[in-house]
Amino acid sequence: MNVEAIAPETVPGWETVIGLEVHAELATATKLFSSAPNRFGGQPNTNVDPVSLGLPGSLPVLNEQAVELAIRVGLALNCQVQRSVFSRKNYFYPDMPKDFQISQYDLPINGEGWLELPDGHRVGIERAHLEEDTGKSTHVGGGGRIHEAGYSLVDYNRAGVPLIEIVGAPDLRSAEEARSYVAELRAILVTIGASDGKMEEGSMRVDCNVSVRPVGQAEFGTRCEIKNINSLRSLGRAISYEARRQVDLITSGERVEQQTRHWNEDEGRTHKLRSKEEAYDYRYFPEPDLVPVEPSDEWIDAIRAALPMLPRERRLRLAEAASIDTSAAALTVERGLDDLAVDAIAEGADAPRVLVHAENNLADGAGRLDGASFAALVKMETGGDLTATQTKTVLATLVAEGGEPAIVAADLGFEAMDIGEMEVLVDRLIAEHPDDWTAFISGDEQERKKKSGFFVGQVMKATNGKADGRAVNELLAHRARS
Ligand code: ADP
Ligand code: MG
């Protein structure tokens, strides 16, 4: 079934409301409550100890590094960092041997905050709390589904890995915005070293709440929560599908039931997993084996002072340096090329050219290129010493090998063409092709364009591509006027 074709995300007259719950594994050396290694991959059940296996008599000891990373996340998301309490969330799954998960409930470490998308739109954060991850079940036989499987295997390597759960407010209104939110959140987590943000390895997982309402209605509709989304692409597809499903239900006189649904990537649709469970189903109570977490103001301040520049600040800085808006700065920042671009602009390079190169010619990174040589190169280009094509070639060499732009250009044989030489050449070509020249002078705009292409081509041929196409065009226009 081709979902994109039949399920446009926005149905006229309806609005989609989205709130995301993102789980990210924190990049600690060990687990949240024990010294077993926090490591992805490896032989099943090798990164375990009595605490991760939930053996009777084992007791949790809180990992200080996990708390520090959680506070970093809170500060980066403009949250209130506060005194927090761990709670037991009771439910049964074979991959959780204690039969409860230690999480935070009514007193999370990070309270309300916000995140800003590249377009300047702010999305609320409701909370960002600490909890432990579960193990992983593999159902063998029956296509991997639990009900049809012959037996199941459990790997506890992931059990007890520290997670931060970031609960976003229902402020998102389209699949595109939801993707932008997750991309921004991932960039923040990676920048502050809290998580590697790898969705494909499951170290960042997104649960997506979707509801729909008629445009103009103030109350939210009933939501469904979609699980098993493991790429930005699936996130967009799942939202489009689910919004359409809900609108279809309502317009055919039925009601949306609050459910937890599973995204099936191959089928391109969501399936009901279960009716939504309520908080009371989990019988939360404070974890008696852990004391409340009360980070001191000094500690919080020290963590804040050590935070690197965040993507939002970097976009603002580049936007200001280049006199553009923050969305136009987004790609360069995403690529990590903003330091280079800001340096090059500060050295006097033309900002639009700097950004064009960052976006089109440095997709694989800047390699050995530094701000000063980038600036020098762009100046050679805007000064007419190098054509756009030559600049690209020199740039590729600077990225791969480093060096001085002027020397690299000379080594590549890119001598700037003497303007007098060019005049002689252009006049000769005009004389050799009188019909083309007449068509250039007296033709309509299309004809003129065609013929200027012809003459530039001839000049390039005669000069082995050394001439500057723009200068040739200017010269042609000048000759046509005189
Ligand atoms: P629960 O405690 O049941 O998980 P919450 O109120 O904490 O419910 O909300 C969980 C997530 O659902 C949040 O990310 C929130 O933004 C989102 N959400 C809440 N109501 C809606 C709604 N009507 N439509 C879409 N998302 C919603
Ligand atoms: Mg929830």
Side-chain angles (χ1 to χ4, degrees), residues 16-22 105 124 126-127 165-172 207-212 219-225 258 276-279:
T16 311
V17 173
I18 305 147
L20 302 180
E21 293 166 276
V22 174
Y105 178 51
E126 293 182 350
R127 54 192 275 149
E165 176 175 349
I166 301 149
V167 182
D171 288 349
L172 302 163
D207 297 337
C208 176
N209 297 273
V210 177
S211 66
V212 296
E219 308 86 61
F220 287 146
T222 304
R223 73 179 193 267
C224 284
E225 178 173 350
Q258 191 169 335
K276 165 85 179 147
E277 55 284 87
E278 299 294 338

Side-chain angles (χ1 to χ4, degrees), residues 77 79 111-115 123-128 166-169 181 185:
L77 296 176
C79 294
E112 281 184 22
W114 52 267
L115 167 159
V123 182
I125 303 292
E126 293 182 350
R127 54 192 275 149
I166 301 149
V167 182
Y181 170 86
L185 190 52

Side-chain angles (χ1 to χ4, degrees), residues 268-457:
R269 52 169 298 189
T270 61
H271 293 271
K272 176 174 173 172
L273 272 184
R274 52 182 182 261
S275 296
K276 165 85 179 147
E277 55 284 87
E278 299 294 338
Y280 56 72
D281 292 324
Y282 292 120
R283 305 175 325 276
Y284 279 102
F285 64 89
E287 165 61 62
D289 294 332
L290 289 164
V291 295
V293 186
E294 298 191 65
S296 68
D297 290 345
E298 292 73 37
W299 193 28
I300 297 173
D301 288 344
I303 294 172
R304 181 185 283 114
L307 280 181
M309 205 182 224
L310 300 175
R312 168 175 177 267
E313 300 168 75
R314 287 165 47 183
R315 285 193 298 268
L316 287 168
R317 181 183 62 149
L318 177 59
E320 192 177 288
S323 307
I324 51 176
D325 61 31
T326 49
S327 353
L331 183 58
T332 303
V333 170
E334 204 180 295
R335 296 234 174 103
L337 296 168
D338 49 314
D339 273 343
L340 183 78
V342 168
D343 284 354
I345 294 167
E347 301 248 1
D350 178 62
R353 287 311 296 166
V354 164
L355 292 172
V356 163
H357 289 303
E359 292 184 2
N360 300 333
N361 306 325
L362 294 172
D364 297 324
R368 304 187 57 183
L369 178 70
D370 61 41
S373 1
F374 193 17
L377 176 66
V378 170
K379 284 181 195 169
M380 287 172 73
E381 181 185 24
T382 50
D385 296 335
L386 291 175
T387 66
T389 315
Q390 290 172 336
T391 305
K392 223 173 125 171
T393 309
V394 175
L395 187 62
T397 308
L398 293 174
V399 168
E401 295 161 18
E404 278 297 314
I407 295 172
V408 172
D411 284 351
L412 287 163
F414 297 158
E415 304 292 345
M417 218 186 143
D418 184 81
I419 194 73
E421 253 176 80
M422 175 133 81
E423 279 179 346
V424 172
L425 176 60
V426 167
D427 289 339
R428 198 191 81 210
L429 288 169
I430 289 174
E432 281 173 12
H433 304 277
D435 295 346
D436 295 294
W437 181 242
T438 311
F440 177 80
I441 300 177
S442 47
D444 58 11
E445 202 186 327
Q446 207 186 343
E447 183 68 13
R448 200 180 167 96
K449 237 180 162 167
K450 213 168 104 191
K451 290 301 164 190
S452 76
F454 167 77
F455 280 108
V456 171

Side-chain angles (χ1 to χ4, degrees), residues 64-340:
E64 181 179 348
Q65 196 195 3
V67 177
E68 169 161 348
L69 293 181
I71 294 175
R72 269 195 224 169
V73 173
L75 294 173
L77 296 176
N78 308 287
C79 294
Q80 183 64 40
V81 179
Q82 57 199 21
R83 173 182 182 274
S84 64
V85 168
F86 285 100
S87 290
R88 289 191 181 180
K89 181 179 184 181
N90 298 277
Y91 61 100
F92 172 77
Y93 272 139
D95 55 16
M96 205 182 54
K98 301 195 296 293
D99 280 357
F100 62 83
Q101 177 188 25
I102 305 180
S103 180
Q104 296 189 315
Y105 178 51
D106 46 354
L107 295 168
I109 184 162
N110 300 302
E112 281 184 22
W114 52 267
L115 167 159
E116 192 170 291
L117 303 180
D119 66 6
H121 179 88
R122 278 191 189 180
V123 182
I125 303 292
E126 293 182 350
R127 54 192 275 149
H129 64 261
L130 269 167
E131 64 185 26
E132 58 177 341
D133 209 344
T134 59
K136 211 170 176 169
S137 307
T138 306
H139 308 298
V140 183
R145 279 184 293 271
I146 189 165
H147 301 290
E148 291 126 47
Y151 60 94
S152 297
L153 299 169
V154 193
D155 175 9
Y156 292 109
N157 282 351
R158 201 181 66 180
V161 163
L163 291 176
I164 185 107
E165 176 175 349
I166 301 149
V167 182
D171 288 349
L172 302 163
R173 293 291 177 272
S174 68
E176 201 32 64
E177 224 174 43
R179 289 160 54 119
S180 169
Y181 170 86
V182 173
E184 182 66 12
L185 190 52
R186 179 167 61 187
I188 293 171
L189 295 174
V190 172
T191 300
I192 63 177
S195 177
D196 67 19
K198 289 183 184 158
M199 280 182 97
E200 65 287 1
E201 286 184 7
S203 56
M204 183 164 163
R205 307 194 281 273
V206 180
D207 297 337
C208 176
N209 297 273
V210 177
S211 66
V212 296
R213 64 179 170 186
V215 169
Q217 177 183 305
E219 308 86 61
F220 287 146
T222 304
R223 73 179 193 267
C224 284
E225 178 173 350
I226 310 167
K227 303 246 179 219
N228 190 45
I229 293 168
N230 41 30
S231 69
L232 287 183
R233 182 166 177 272
S234 320
L235 176 65
R237 292 181 72 205
I239 291 171
S240 301
Y241 176 87
E242 183 61 20
R244 182 57 189 253
R245 187 188 72 86
Q246 293 180 14
V247 171
D248 285 350
L249 272 179
I250 298 168
T251 49
S252 60
E254 292 175 63
R255 283 192 326 152
V256 175
E257 189 204 358
Q258 191 169 335
Q259 291 172 349
T260 302
R261 298 178 67 86
H262 176 93
W263 169 247
N264 185 316
E265 179 69 31
D266 297 333
E267 293 175 15
R269 52 169 298 189
T270 61
H271 293 271
K272 176 174 173 172
L273 272 184
R274 52 182 182 261
S275 296
K276 165 85 179 147
E277 55 284 87
E278 299 294 338
Y280 56 72
D281 292 324
Y282 292 120
R283 305 175 325 276
Y284 279 102
F285 64 89
E287 165 61 62
D289 294 332
L290 289 164
V291 295
V293 186
E294 298 191 65
S296 68
D297 290 345
E298 292 73 37
W299 193 28
I300 297 173
D301 288 344
I303 294 172
R304 181 185 283 114
L307 280 181
M309 205 182 224
L310 300 175
R312 168 175 177 267
E313 300 168 75
R314 287 165 47 183
R315 285 193 298 268
L316 287 168
R317 181 183 62 149
L318 177 59
E320 192 177 288
S323 307
I324 51 176
D325 61 31
T326 49
S327 353
L331 183 58
T332 303
V333 170
E334 204 180 295
R335 296 234 174 103
L337 296 168
D338 49 314
D339 273 343
L340 183 78

